[in-house]
Amino acid sequence: AAAADGGGDDDDDGKNGGDDDDDSEEEDLTAAALGLDRTIRVLLAISRSHLRDAMRPDFASLTLALRLTVMPLIAHFDPTLDALLRSVGMEPFFALSWIITWFSHDVRDTDTVKRLFDAFLAAHPLFPVYVSVAMVLHPKNRATALGVGGGEEGADFAELHGVLADLPKRSCERGTTR
């Protein structure tokens, strides 16, 4: 408390337990010594803008944002796929890891991840949401989702969720010759 109001001991060398300000100052000095001070400032700015909802204590606001964007966009652009998703009670949780990690958790090709990061940094913070919707609506991915369990009548939530959640892994294989 004394350090917070400016009345702290100026000779504190950190050996007496110090306080959080001393620890963060030490970390900042280490980052500066490594030439990472600019990198840290950029990451902090991104976490306050593009990744703001993912950085909150829980995913409530992010989940709400996904419900208000992903599912209505799918409904607008593909009523047939939307009907299938609604028939099994699908929520947009299949896209959660895509959004909070900018696809880096699901895409294994480093060059693709780098290109995605460049695009996401240069674009509006909702761009990862739009890419997620575009991935789901891609004709091959759409056909795969619509084919789960033979269509709307035989669709199974778990199987459909698994197919959707794995789209980034399989989408990287699209267009390759094998």
Side-chain angles (χ1 to χ4, degrees), residues 87-147:
S87 75
V88 299
M90 187 64 63
E91 294 273 353
F93 302 131
F94 59 86
L96 189 62
S97 71
W98 307 348
I99 305 299
I100 64 174
T101 68
W102 284 359
F103 291 88
S104 63
H105 180 264
D106 300 285
V107 175
R108 298 293 177 228
D109 180 50
T110 305
D111 290 334
T112 301
V113 171
K114 289 177 189 177
R115 291 175 65 191
L116 286 168
F117 274 40
D118 286 345
F120 296 154
L121 286 169
H124 188 277
L126 286 176
F127 192 55
V129 172
Y130 303 143
V131 170
S132 299
V133 171
M135 180 176 300
V136 171
L137 298 178
H138 184 279
K140 289 186 179 183
N141 294 337
R142 176 186 185 274
T144 301
L146 290 173

Side-chain angles (χ1 to χ4, degrees), residues 54-66:
M55 300 294 289
R56 300 205 189 272
D58 60 37
F59 290 133
S61 62
L62 180 59
T63 303
L64 177 62
L66 291 179

Side-chain angles (χ1 to χ4, degrees), residues 7 9-10 25 32-33 35 40 42 64-65 69 73 75 78 83 98 102 107 110 119 135 141 144 153 159 171 177:
D9 184 7
D10 291 338
E25 198 172 288
I40 289 171
V42 169
L64 177 62
T69 54
L73 285 169
D78 194 334
W98 307 348
W102 284 359
V107 175
T110 305
M135 180 176 300
N141 294 337
T144 301
E153 296 301 318
E159 184 180 3
S171 293
T177 55

Side-chain angles (χ1 to χ4, degrees), residues 70-71 73-88 90 94 132-139 141-148 152 160 163-164 167:
V70 172
M71 303 313 272
L73 285 169
I74 291 172
H76 176 78
F77 290 107
D78 194 334
T80 305
L81 183 57
D82 178 62
L84 173 66
L85 297 176
R86 286 180 189 275
S87 75
V88 299
M90 187 64 63
F94 59 86
S132 299
V133 171
M135 180 176 300
V136 171
L137 298 178
H138 184 279
N141 294 337
R142 176 186 185 274
T144 301
L146 290 173
V148 171
E152 190 173 333
L160 183 57
V163 165
L164 291 172
L167 287 180

